[in-house]
Amino acid sequence: MKANKLLLAAAAIAAVFFFASCSKAEKAERKIAVFVPGVVSGNPVYEMLSAGVTEAVASYNAEHGGEVKLSVIEAGTNQAEWSTKLTALAATGEYEVIFSSNPSLPELAAPLTSQFPKQKFIILDGYLKGNKNIATVRYNQREQAYLTGYAAGLVTTASSSVMKYANAQKKIALVAAQEYPVMNKIIFPSFVEGAKAADPEITAEFRIVGNWYDASKGADIAKGLYAEGVDVILPIAGGASQGVIAAAKESGFYIAWFDNNGFSKAPGYVISSSVMEQKKNAYEQTLKFLKGKTEFGTAQTLGIKDGYVDFILDDPAFTETVSEDIRARLEQVYADIKNGSLVLNSKD
Ligand code: RBF
């Protein structure tokens, strides 16, 4: 009898441990993924995405005893493979949510939500309304590109005694990795709109690298533009933008930078940095999801007033490179957008 009781007690204790370890194992199985459409290294938008999600998971785990596991998957630069790779990731059924970023992602993810009805997606820098498994948050890139164009416009029209690489021609350029609707309908037109607000006589060239990694092609295109009289270039080309920077240092022209703070990339040559606060956004969206607060089916566009688009005015390299008069005019336009006297809505 006594022995039986002991056995029962032992079994009860074992059961407690069993269930305790089970719930621990269940906790450890909470998984989320970041699907990078490209590669992280050298691509500010993806560096910010993965850093934001990674930091949020670490801070959530610190509070909740390490229950969330994060996988960052790079889909690589062959865009023809992205759909298959995203499908394979969703098909595992392992990830509560898949984070990703860029304007082409909503149309890759949307069909998967009928194929895998439990799979959720949070897509930054993309836009899709009304799919109950997808939440999107993009940036007001009309504001971001307008300010960049305004900076480029003020610099290209400056005299060389004020801005030493500025020539007499009023020519600027955007070097893009590829064409896509947001580039063609929002970024480039708003860059031109901003430049023409500085001086209506300015003309803007548009050139395409063909991919997001070829720095030597980026450099060749930039040198060609410089030879044609362009003195300010906005590169939006991921790793290929490095080539445009190298060409600027070699030939002597200016760079207007996009997405993150680029002043340290070429001090003396970079005249502006228009920032999308993708790291902050990724961090916040991750915590919101982990706490069950994401509103799927919604599509947000966040800009300067919301604190998700910024224009760097306080970097020492900005002060050193750009004349006081140009800085004052940029500060004014930034303030106008922030206080609502200049409204630059981003079209759908
Ligand atoms: N931006 C990058 O920095 N690196 C990339 O590899 C990259 N790939 C993109 C692929 C596609 C199909 C599209 C539509 C955009 C891509 N972007 C990339 C651009 C990015 O989403 C954003 O538009 C620009 O960085 C300007 O903010």
Side-chain angles (χ1 to χ4, degrees):
M1 228 22 197
K2 225 182 169 187
N4 270 355
K5 268 191 182 166
L6 267 177
L7 265 179
L8 268 177
I13 291 167
V16 167
F17 275 109
F18 178 73
F19 287 117
S21 64
C22 261
S23 67
K24 238 186 180 175
E26 266 163 27
K27 267 189 165 180
E29 270 171 29
R30 219 178 153 193
K31 287 181 174 177
I32 67 172
V34 173
F35 179 85
V36 178
V39 294
V40 174
S41 176
N43 294 280
V45 283
Y46 300 150
E47 285 166 355
M48 293 188 279
L49 169 73
S50 68
V53 179
T54 303
E55 283 179 26
V57 167
S59 90
Y60 187 85
N61 282 343
E63 259 182 52
H64 296 81
E67 68 185 85
V68 181
K69 193 169 171 284
L70 169 67
S71 303
V72 179
I73 294 116
E74 287 182 321
T77 52
N78 184 351
Q79 297 181 5
E81 292 174 357
W82 290 356
S83 177
T84 317
K85 289 185 172 172
L86 189 60
T87 308
L89 192 64
T92 65
E94 282 184 28
Y95 302 98
E96 279 181 47
V97 69
I98 298 172
F99 276 86
S100 195
S101 162
N102 100 28
S104 76
L105 255 293
E107 67 190 37
L108 296 181
L112 299 179
T113 61
S114 30
Q115 211 176 333
F116 309 106
K118 282 191 183 157
Q119 186 63 64
K120 301 271 194 264
F121 294 90
I122 297 177
I123 299 168
L124 308 184
D125 185 28
Y127 190 79
L128 181 73
K129 225 189 242 172
N131 183 313
K132 64 178 181 18
N133 282 17
I134 303 180
T136 64
V137 188
R138 70 174 174 184
Y139 309 93
N140 184 331
Q141 294 205 292
R142 184 163 166 222
E143 290 178 346
Q144 194 187 358
Y146 181 95
L147 279 163
T148 310
Y150 193 62
L154 293 176
V155 169
T156 194
T157 49
S159 99
S160 60
S161 61
V162 179
M163 298 296 300
K164 67 176 168 188
Y165 302 124
N167 60 26
Q169 297 186 55
K170 298 176 179 182
K171 279 175 92 173
I172 61 174
L174 194 164
V175 174
Q178 69 179 92
E179 291 190 87
Y180 48 100
V182 172
M183 175 58 70
N184 294 356
K185 291 186 192 152
I186 300 176
I187 299 177
F188 184 62
S190 308
F191 177 63
V192 175
E193 186 187 6
K196 289 197 182 287
D199 184 334
E201 285 178 4
I202 291 168
T203 57
E205 298 290 325
F206 182 77
R207 295 290 149 83
I208 298 155
V209 178
N211 61 61
W212 294 89
Y213 54 83
D214 191 345
S216 73
K217 184 138 184 233
D220 287 347
I221 291 171
K223 283 179 202 159
L225 287 163
Y226 172 73
E228 289 171 27
V230 168
D231 52 9
V232 186
I233 298 181
L234 162 61
I236 303 183
S241 298
Q242 287 308 319
V244 180
I245 291 175
K249 289 184 189 164
E250 200 183 309
S251 306
F253 60 82
Y254 289 112
I255 296 286
W257 191 249
F258 218 60
D259 294 335
N260 65 351
N261 185 338
F263 282 107
S264 65
K265 292 185 185 295
Y269 298 89
V270 178
I271 53 138
S272 66
S273 290
S274 294
V275 173
M276 58 154 80
E277 297 290 359
Q278 168 113 316
K279 185 177 166 191
K280 171 171 113 168
N281 192 15
Y283 182 90
E284 291 171 358
Q285 294 303 326
T286 306
L287 286 184
K288 220 170 152 185
F289 174 80
L290 293 172
K291 292 172 184 166
K293 301 239 164 76
T294 303
E295 288 171 40
F296 287 96
T298 63
Q300 295 182 75
T301 305
L302 303 174
I304 286 179
K305 270 185 166 183
D306 312 293
Y308 292 86
V309 171
D310 203 5
F311 189 81
I312 309 277
L313 292 163
D314 59 1
D315 194 291
F318 177 60
T319 318
E320 278 158 33
T321 311
V322 178
S323 74
E324 199 178 342
D325 169 56
I326 293 177
R327 280 186 281 121
R329 291 180 68 183
L330 282 163
E331 268 169 39
Q332 186 58 54
V333 172
Y334 177 78
D336 288 348
I337 298 172
K338 206 163 188 172
N339 70 29
S341 55
L342 176 60
V343 179
L344 300 166
N345 288 329
S346 198
K347 302 137 214 159
D348 279 0

